[in-house]
Amino acid sequence: MKRFNPIAKLLNYCGFGIIGLGVISFMIIILDQRLGAGVQGTTVLISSLVTGLLFLGFAEVIHLLQGIYDQRNEPDAVEVDFTYQGDGEKTGRIDREDEREIRSFFKGRNQKVGAIHPTDEPFIYIVEVEGRKKRVEAGGFTVKILDE
């Protein structure tokens, strides 16, 4: 449930408005044929861009804070406890993505994977590799062999 934040929207409009007015002012000043009009126009353009971008940045910060607030106050948010409760193998299911990562990891090492067994620990598997059992951690950025 995303909530609408009117302040962020207003700051967004102000930022784009300031940048737009700065560009228009720059064009008007540049078209004036007075001496030094280019320097004056460039100064107006740069200052309006900086000010407009500051407004847009503040709007983005408010938008991100609203997202964090919404995420922390979701009514069906559940905290999960991933503490290790036992050791050894367990008859559970293996995540397909973890299995694919494990097989790919050992294939890259030119080793043949026999069977993969889940454990009580999350993301930890017992993998039979060429007749030997190894504890492997999957589910992260890389597969790690925990005991060799």
Side-chain angles (χ1 to χ4, degrees):
M1 159 181 156
K2 286 194 172 193
R3 289 179 36 180
F4 172 72
N5 194 312
I7 302 298
K9 192 108 170 142
L10 178 67
L11 287 174
N12 227 351
Y13 288 143
C14 287
F16 284 120
I18 289 170
I19 291 172
L21 287 174
V23 170
I24 291 170
S25 299
F26 170 73
M27 298 302 269
I28 291 171
I29 292 171
I30 287 297
L31 292 177
D32 188 13
Q33 298 298 322
R34 287 184 298 129
L35 184 64
V39 173
Q40 187 180 18
T42 305
T43 303
V44 168
L45 179 65
I46 291 173
S47 63
S48 67
L49 284 174
V50 169
T51 306
L53 289 174
L54 281 172
F55 272 80
L56 292 175
F58 286 135
E60 182 65 19
V61 167
I62 290 174
H63 177 71
L64 291 172
L65 288 172
Q66 183 68 48
I68 291 170
Y69 176 81
D70 291 344
Q71 188 178 25
R72 292 194 42 82
N73 291 323
E74 285 181 1
D76 35 279
V78 178
E79 287 190 27
V80 179
D81 183 19
F82 283 115
T83 56
Y84 175 61
Q85 296 296 326
D87 63 332
E89 295 183 12
K90 142 184 157 175
T91 57
R93 296 185 59 180
I94 301 168
D95 184 45
R96 287 184 186 174
E97 184 66 24
D98 289 348
E99 180 179 6
R100 187 190 63 74
E101 287 177 4
I102 291 169
R103 291 192 185 279
S104 174
F105 174 76
F106 284 107
K107 184 177 182 182
R109 298 177 73 177
N110 294 324
Q111 295 177 328
K112 188 173 185 334
V113 174
I116 302 172
H117 306 285
T119 64
D120 290 336
E121 298 174 86
F123 309 114
I124 306 294
Y125 300 94
I126 304 294
V127 180
E128 294 179 19
V129 180
E130 298 178 348
R132 295 178 58 206
K133 290 185 178 184
K134 299 182 180 195
R135 282 183 68 228
V136 173
E137 179 181 8
F141 292 109
T142 60
V143 174
K144 296 178 191 167
I145 299 175
L146 301 176
D147 55 348
E148 278 208 69

